[in-house]
Each structure stands twice: as C-alpha cells, then as structure tokens.
Amino acid sequence: MIRRLREFADAYPWAWTPEDLEAFSVELASGARPVTKSTLRGYQVVVRAFCDFITDARYPWAAECVERFGEPPVQICHEWNTLAHIVEYEGRPQRRALTYDELELFFTATDERVAAIQRAGRKGALSALRDAVLFKTVYAFGLRRSEAAGLDLADVRSSPGVSRFGECGAVYVRWGKASRGSGPKRRTVLAVPEFDWAVEGLRQWIEEDRALYGASRSDALWLTERGTRVSLRYLDFRFAELRDHLGLPPELTVHALRHSYVTNLIEWGYAERFVQDQVGHAYASTTAIYTSVGDDFKNRVLANALRRIYGDDS
C-alpha cells in the first residue's frame, strides 16, 4: 500500500501531503471497480500507521530526512481526508438470511443433484453428497466457511446434554475468526434439536460415506478426490453454481447460511446469549446484525406482549 501511494503521488514519503492521500482515496473509490468504504478505511489505517512510525520522535527518521532532503515527513491522515468508523456493520445491504422457502429449495437441490448424477451413471455422486452434507453442516452449526473447511474428524464430538445425537452432538471450531491481531478463536457449537436432520446426515457421512474416498493421510472432515481438504474457493464456487441454477438472488453467499442460522435460532426462542456463544460473537450487537427475523415472528412477539398487558381479549 505504501508503494502504491508513492507511485501515485510520484513522491517519497517525506514529501507527501494530506492532499496526496485525499487524491489517492478518490482514485480508489471511483472508476470501474471502486473499493468499498471498509476497504478504503483499511488502506488509510495502513498509511496513518506508517506516518506515525516515520514521524515518531523516538526514531531518527525526521531529522535524517531534514538533513538529507531538507524537509521532514509529516502525518498526512486527518479527520477531513479519511473515513470515520461510525457504525459497526458496513456490509452490503443485500446481505441477508435465506427465507425458509429458499432454504428448502436449496437443500432439496443439493440432494437431487446427488440422485441425478447416480441416475446418469456419471462420476461425482460422492462429491455431490459431500457438498450436500457440508452445506447442511454449515447451516446446522452456524459456521463460517473457514471454520467448516478446517474441521477434522476429531472436531466432531458428543454432547453430554444431548445423547440422542451420539458422537455428532457438538462441533469444536478451531479456526474461528481472529480479532485484534490474535490467533484463531476456538469454541464449541452444540447441535440443537431443530437440526436433527442435518446432524443425522453428518453422522452417516462420518460413519459410512467418507470412507468411500479410500485411505487418506488427511484427517480433514471434507475430503476431495485427491485426499486433500476442500478449499474456500471451492465452497464459494459450488454454492454460487447451485444458487444460480435455482435462480436465487446473486447476493446470497455461503455466509448467508450463517445468517440464516442466527435468525432461525432467535425465531425459535433461543436466548440471545446462547446464540451469541454458538456463533462466537464477542458482542451481542454483532449477533443482532446477523438477525433478520420475519414478520411472522415479530407478529407473534407483539401478540404475546399484548396478551401480557391487556389479557386474552386483545
């Protein structure tokens, strides 16, 4: 980023001005492929940190620049030429949870894809089955792409509180999203009864279907034909292929299944703190961003409130 700014301004850091940053930001935010506001802010943070470093009095850079070039470096990032982080969520407004009809359509299509390949006698039925179970697991446990792709066999465990799920009562996430420069966060996600259909599919995959790939040195839960771990790029590609085939909105991504998980748990009456812990959010406000409950749920909540206040006659 610093090299890009130097090339754009056609000047070295000790000669940069606030106007150079402003012009550079305008250039990035315009054109055929403008960067998002959050991306632009990230670039500006890099420049601000670099300028803090070269203007810090504890280092000799300023005096060295004056001696060699006749001018010292200055901080070029100010309130008037940088973006302020005012709201916590700056994602695209189109991002949302899938409706119940869309979820049913999507998962039905993943199952039908397996059957269609088998009927045609073509290769790929096992991979299609893996994809179907994988996407159901993402939804049933509210996982991020990297969390799902990073699962190993040992990460699927039993839950003492729900013996009916056997050895698939919980998923131990080891590749959770990091924050503030830390390493990946870890958490345990418990299976909930509403997703027993997905948990049963996961159990069958582990006990029977995964072994059809043959012996592999990898402990990855989701294997490819070469015995390696499925990639994030593949998850994006396969989801988009199914989505486009079904005519679903193009803004829906794999991450939308996680939004759907949060939304559905709230609609089914699970405590907000439980949902927050399940998905690994540090703040309840972040979980609220993921929640896009339907009108039916809101109407039920309103009706219950009216009954509490005015009685059954309301």
Side-chain angles (χ1 to χ4, degrees):
M1 179 49 54
I2 299 303
R3 293 191 184 98
R4 288 176 63 184
L5 177 55
R6 179 180 62 80
E7 293 173 0
F8 176 85
D10 195 21
Y12 288 102
W14 54 83
W16 287 348
T17 66
E19 289 76 13
D20 290 329
L21 177 67
E22 184 176 19
F24 184 57
S25 300
V26 171
E27 176 76 13
L28 292 173
S30 58
R33 300 184 63 182
V35 300
T36 64
K37 290 184 178 180
S38 59
T39 300
L40 180 57
R41 181 184 300 106
Y43 292 163
Q44 293 173 348
V45 168
V46 171
V47 176
R48 184 192 299 276
F50 177 76
C51 290
D52 282 341
F53 170 61
I54 62 176
T55 58
D56 194 318
R58 293 170 294 182
Y59 296 98
W61 310 130
E64 191 73 18
C65 287
V66 170
E67 181 180 345
R68 290 173 178 260
F69 313 113
E71 54 185 336
V74 297
Q75 175 59 263
I76 64 173
C77 297
H78 304 282
E79 292 183 0
W80 60 269
N81 67 346
T82 58
L83 295 175
H85 193 175
I86 299 176
V87 297
E88 182 177 358
Y89 180 70
E90 294 181 330
R92 296 181 180 88
Q94 296 90 343
R95 293 287 179 88
R96 61 170 176 82
L98 281 78
T99 66
Y100 286 107
D101 289 341
E102 289 171 338
L103 287 168
E104 182 177 2
L105 182 66
F106 179 80
F107 289 124
T108 299
T110 62
D111 293 336
E112 290 179 347
R113 180 168 172 264
V114 179
I117 294 175
Q118 290 177 330
R119 287 195 300 269
R122 295 185 287 110
K123 292 179 58 177
L126 183 59
S127 296
L129 176 61
R130 175 203 61 207
D131 296 342
V133 179
L134 196 162
F135 287 130
K136 291 174 184 177
T137 302
V138 169
Y139 171 51
F141 291 91
L143 304 178
R144 299 180 178 91
R145 294 178 312 148
S146 57
E147 295 172 349
L151 289 176
D152 287 342
L153 286 171
D155 297 327
V156 182
R157 307 175 177 182
S158 60
S159 174
V162 189
S163 58
R164 59 182 292 185
F165 292 142
E167 296 300 318
C168 297
V171 167
Y172 184 56
V173 174
R174 294 180 292 113
W175 296 96
K177 185 177 180 180
S179 61
R180 299 183 182 275
S182 65
K185 293 181 180 178
R186 301 191 176 202
R187 72 180 189 279
T188 298
V189 185
L190 303 178
V192 297
E194 288 81 359
F195 292 115
D196 55 356
W197 52 276
V199 175
E200 183 58 34
L202 176 60
R203 178 193 295 179
Q204 181 175 335
W205 170 257
I206 293 174
E207 295 177 354
E208 302 176 17
D209 302 324
R210 182 182 177 278
L212 298 177
Y213 275 114
S216 173
R217 295 182 180 180
S218 175
D219 292 327
L221 182 59
W222 316 110
L223 292 173
T224 67
E225 290 82 354
R226 296 180 177 86
T228 59
R229 191 183 303 271
V230 296
S231 66
L232 303 185
R233 184 177 180 181
Y234 175 81
L235 294 183
D236 289 336
F237 168 77
R238 183 60 67 205
F239 184 93
E241 183 182 54
L242 290 166
R243 176 201 64 203
D244 295 342
H245 174 73
L246 297 172
L248 296 175
E251 62 268 16
L252 294 178
T253 64
V254 179
H255 201 68
L257 295 175
R258 179 172 161 88
H259 282 255
S260 305
Y261 174 82
V262 173
T263 297
N264 295 159
L265 288 192
I266 295 297
E267 290 182 332
W268 295 335
Y270 285 89
E272 294 181 7
R273 180 64 191 185
F274 174 81
V275 180
Q276 180 184 341
D277 290 341
Q278 286 281 94
V279 294
H281 286 156
Y283 304 101
S285 57
T286 307
T287 307
I289 291 169
Y290 277 63
T291 308
S292 53
V293 296
D295 291 339
D296 290 342
F297 170 77
K298 289 184 285 188
N299 289 332
R300 290 199 305 270
V301 172
L302 178 59
N304 291 335
L306 290 172
R307 280 195 294 270
R308 288 198 304 271
I309 296 174
Y310 300 108
D312 295 337
D313 294 338
S314 61

